Amino acid sequence: MTYKAPVRDLLFALYEAAGFDRLSKAFPDADAETVNAVLEGAGVFTADVLAPINRQGDKDGARHENGQVFAAPGFVDAYRQFSEGGWNSLSADPEHGGQGLPKAVEVAVFEMVQSANMAFGLCPMLTQGAIEALAAHGTPKQKAQLLPKLVSGEWTGTMNLTEPQSGSDLAAITTRADPAPGGGYTLNGQKIFITWGDHDAAENIVHLVLARLPDAPPGSRGLTLFVAPKRLINADGSLGEGNNVRCASIEHKLGVHASPTCVMLFEGAKAEMVGAPNQGLAAMFTMMNSARLQVGVQGVGIAERAYQQALAYSLERMQGRSAWTGAYPSRIFDHPDVRRSLMLMKAKIEAARCICLSVAVAGDIARTASNPVDRDAARFRDELLTPIAKAWSTDLGVEVASAALQIHGGAGFIEETGAAQHYRDARILPIYEGTTAIQANDLVGRKTARDGGQAVRELIADIWPTAAALKSADDAWLHTIGARLEDGIAAVQASTGWLIERRGHAQPDALAGATPYLKLIGDVVGGWMLGKLALAASRKIAEGDGDAQYWRTKIGLARVYAEQVLAQAPGLTHAVTQGSVDLFRATPEALGA
């Protein structure tokens, strides 16, 4: 099916929910006209170039032949157009050839990239993370040598963490880094699940690798970050011979077939240290946090693509009698439950979109605000919402892709319709870059308990005015949204207090409630975002601004979300506060082992 870039929805979310106008001083060139033009251009590119090769890429996949990896059909040319169009350089520093736009604009663009073709989008997504890590931790020489090529898209970047014995437990990494006689280091080890670890779309690949020095302390404290290019780089910047790093195989996966997921072998590969010895995990977290937000954006993107296909199918499929008109046969769109499902899907997509854009705006403020108080406040908000953006949005991606398949009925279970691909592609999202449980533990342990819940209290303080404005509105629908949002706030307050109390002396209880707590906050923050959109839409209607049906639908989506999602928030408090005693008593034998 065709893909229609949701540029109007993105712009509305960017300005009315994410607070993009707060960036006007730091980014004077990113005015409304420029941002509109960038997003419109990205919409055309993603719809015309990336979307048409998505289905064939899923069918054919990447290939590993005679020690080489070949991208799926059409991907090499699409990547060339992507790089030449400047889409790889949006937020990068102009010093290295970037355009210097806010990260929030890049996130909006990349939602469309991921929606049109997620397997393709994974390649520049990892490159963006490599750019940020090297910009923050690289030496002047590394920055001068590597960043212009990565920013232009001539080279791509990867993140090499996982090993066969070390999944999410990075403390178990064994890849070795030995000082080389002529300077630098040699890397020896195996890395698995390396996204776009090898391919033929770019002339060089810059591998960022976690490894251990000979005298490294045990555990995660002994990890150091290294950079090892696929092809060595001469002193004048030209490419030399191949490095001793190769792809041993590519994985046969449930989805994202066109994204080569590689087993990488470092066999005496020449490398340079990035950052300080034994400080690699802190340096790599720069790249990981970038990736976590972008993976959340992938969840939004794949949900949008699945939703669009389900909506189109519901308008084409004739079956049954319309509940409103009695017409027979009718479009399944005219069955109340189908329309309810579609509206709930779209409402959740818009909520997740706003959350991800808000994180990006907070990150931009944290980097550029002149006032240190504003920088710190934005940084804390960025850190608090990042695990929610990653986990809540990716769980939503799977949920919406599943609901979209359900609307297709039996046809959705047939590969030819394409609905199954979105579900298969989405399923990896809650797993890689830190599972939902890992994000939830981070939210509870590091982001909530570290300051006694202050970051959450500040978040709630920001949500209250929206709830109050909704409740005081003359529109009864807005009042309902505000009332449900207030109930959600109360649920977050009760759950947060319980978790902080248990975190101090009964950690298993807190960890047992972490995942429902993340869902609870995600649901409430999503309701807050939709509430802001509903208030803005109401204002547009009052002002006679444009398409009244579009604005009324925004209010309807917020109300559907309030009644279908926010109404469940008080019940989630019970899930958060259940404790761990039942889990402790459940032995393997009792569970059927």
Side-chain angles (χ1 to χ4, degrees):
M1 64 157 289
T2 57
Y3 167 65
K4 181 181 178 181
V7 175
R8 188 180 187 184
D9 288 343
L10 277 162
L11 288 168
F12 188 48
L14 196 60
Y15 285 98
E16 298 295 346
F20 185 77
D21 55 345
R22 291 182 292 162
L23 302 177
S24 58
K25 289 185 179 180
F27 298 93
D29 294 335
D31 55 26
E33 183 178 359
T34 299
V35 174
N36 288 10
V38 171
L39 265 61
E40 290 284 357
V44 172
F45 176 79
T46 54
D48 292 352
V49 178
L50 299 185
I53 62 174
N54 183 50
R55 185 77 181 114
Q56 197 62 44
D58 178 65
K59 291 180 178 179
D60 294 343
R63 295 179 293 116
H64 181 251
E65 297 176 356
N66 301 318
Q68 291 184 296
V69 177
F70 299 93
F75 275 51
V76 171
D77 183 60
Y79 183 76
R80 176 188 58 78
Q81 294 183 61
F82 179 86
S83 300
E84 291 177 353
W87 301 113
N88 204 64
S89 63
L90 292 171
S91 69
D93 193 326
E95 180 183 351
H96 306 300
Q99 299 177 49
L101 290 169
K103 189 72 175 177
V105 173
E106 180 182 87
V107 165
V109 168
F110 266 71
E111 183 200 310
M112 292 183 276
V113 171
Q114 304 294 357
S115 196
N117 195 323
M118 196 175 93
F120 176 94
L122 277 162
C123 182
M125 185 193 91
L126 268 295
T127 302
Q128 298 306 317
I131 290 170
E132 293 186 29
L134 288 167
H137 305 286
T139 65
K141 175 187 173 184
Q142 289 167 347
K143 293 178 184 179
Q145 189 178 64
L146 301 175
L147 286 178
K149 296 291 188 180
L150 289 169
V151 168
S152 70
E154 294 172 78
W155 299 352
T156 64
T158 71
M159 177 167 53
N160 293 256
L161 285 74
T162 306
E163 298 179 6
Q165 80 292 342
S166 170
S168 300
D169 183 11
L170 299 182
I173 283 176
T174 61
T175 296
R176 192 176 74 254
D178 296 305
Y185 298 84
T186 58
L187 302 181
N188 288 277
Q190 179 183 6
K191 298 289 185 177
I192 63 172
F193 303 155
I194 308 307
T195 300
W196 282 85
D198 195 20
H199 58 85
D200 60 341
E203 62 180 7
N204 203 10
I205 302 171
V206 177
H207 299 291
L208 291 179
V209 188
L210 281 181
R212 294 186 181 281
L213 293 166
D215 58 351
S220 59
R221 295 180 299 108
L223 296 175
T224 300
L225 183 61
F226 296 89
V227 58
K230 177 181 178 179
R231 292 179 61 185
L232 297 175
I233 306 165
N234 297 320
D236 63 358
S238 62
L239 291 179
E241 62 183 6
N243 202 354
N244 292 325
V245 53
R246 62 186 177 90
C247 173
S249 64
I250 58 176
E251 304 292 353
H252 302 280
K253 309 187 295 289
L254 176 68
V256 286
H257 295 150
S259 170
T261 303
C262 301
V263 175
M264 300 299 298
L265 300 180
F266 294 84
E267 302 167 315
K270 295 182 179 179
E272 292 182 1
M273 185 184 298
V274 178
N278 304 322
Q279 299 297 315
L281 193 57
M284 185 59 92
F285 258 107
T286 300
M287 188 174 189
M288 291 168 66
N289 282 331
S290 169
R292 285 173 174 176
L293 173 58
Q294 289 287 9
V295 171
V297 173
Q298 285 185 313
V300 181
I302 201 67
E304 173 69 30
R305 187 68 184 274
Y307 162 77
Q308 287 191 19
Q309 181 160 338
L311 175 61
Y313 184 80
S314 76
L315 296 172
E316 298 166 358
R317 176 64 168 164
M318 305 295 291
Q319 183 170 304
R321 189 177 302 277
S322 170
W324 287 287
T325 68
Y328 180 87
S330 75
R331 308 170 300 179
I332 64 171
F333 178 77
D334 292 323
H335 299 331
D337 191 66
V338 170
R339 200 172 295 190
R340 178 199 63 82
S341 180
L342 287 166
M343 289 190 72
L344 187 56
M345 290 160 67
K346 186 167 181 62
K348 289 183 176 181
I349 290 166
E350 296 203 348
R353 172 181 293 136
C354 292
I355 290 172
C356 290
L357 291 174
S358 296
V359 172
V361 168
D364 284 326
I365 295 173
R367 286 187 294 273
T368 62
S370 57
N371 187 330
V373 175
D374 293 338
R375 288 199 304 271
D376 287 344
R379 177 170 59 84
F380 286 131
R381 181 60 53 84
D382 180 0
E383 292 175 352
L384 177 68
L385 292 185
T386 291
I388 297 167
K390 195 282 179 187
W392 194 84
S393 301
T394 56
D395 282 346
L396 175 138
V398 176
E399 177 187 341
V400 169
S402 179
L405 194 152
Q406 185 77 13
I407 286 175
H408 282 77
F413 204 66
I414 307 301
E415 285 288 349
E416 282 74 12
T417 64
Q421 180 191 347
H422 306 316
Y423 184 70
R424 290 186 286 101
D425 287 353
R427 194 58 192 86
I428 185 59
L429 300 179
I431 298 173
Y432 62 21
E433 299 306 333
T435 64
T436 296
I438 288 173
Q439 303 302 324
N441 290 345
D442 177 53
L443 174 65
V444 170
R446 294 189 181 91
K447 308 303 170 56
T448 300
R450 70 178 177 186
D451 59 5
Q454 182 61 28
V456 175
R457 286 192 292 272
E458 291 175 358
L459 174 66
I460 289 172
D462 285 345
I463 298 175
W464 269 119
T466 301
L470 288 163
K471 283 197 70 176
S472 63
D474 293 334
D475 189 324
W477 281 24
L478 294 180
H479 185 278
T480 297
I481 299 166
R484 293 286 182 259
L485 187 54
E486 280 191 351
D487 292 342
I489 292 171
V492 170
Q493 289 175 318
S495 296
T496 301
W498 187 89
L499 282 174
I500 291 173
E501 186 272 329
R502 302 305 285 177
R503 184 82 166 81
H505 65 89
Q507 187 175 24
D509 286 352
L511 295 179
T515 296
Y517 180 69
L518 184 146
K519 174 172 170 48
L520 171 61
I521 294 191
D523 286 352
V524 173
V525 172
W528 173 38
M529 297 296 170
L530 292 181
K532 289 199 284 187
L533 293 185
L535 287 170
S538 179
R539 186 175 67 250
K540 299 283 189 183
I541 293 171
E543 295 169 351
D545 186 352
D547 183 0
Q549 184 59 46
Y550 179 80
W551 304 124
R552 281 196 292 269
T553 300
K554 294 299 180 188
I555 297 173
L557 291 171
R559 185 165 183 262
V560 166
Y561 185 96
E563 299 288 36
Q564 299 276 320
V565 179
L566 284 178
Q568 300 179 38
L572 280 173
T573 301
H574 298 293
V576 174
T577 60
Q578 179 185 3
S580 62
V581 63
D582 296 307
L583 311 181
F584 177 75
R585 290 172 177 171
T587 65
E589 294 75 18
L591 291 174

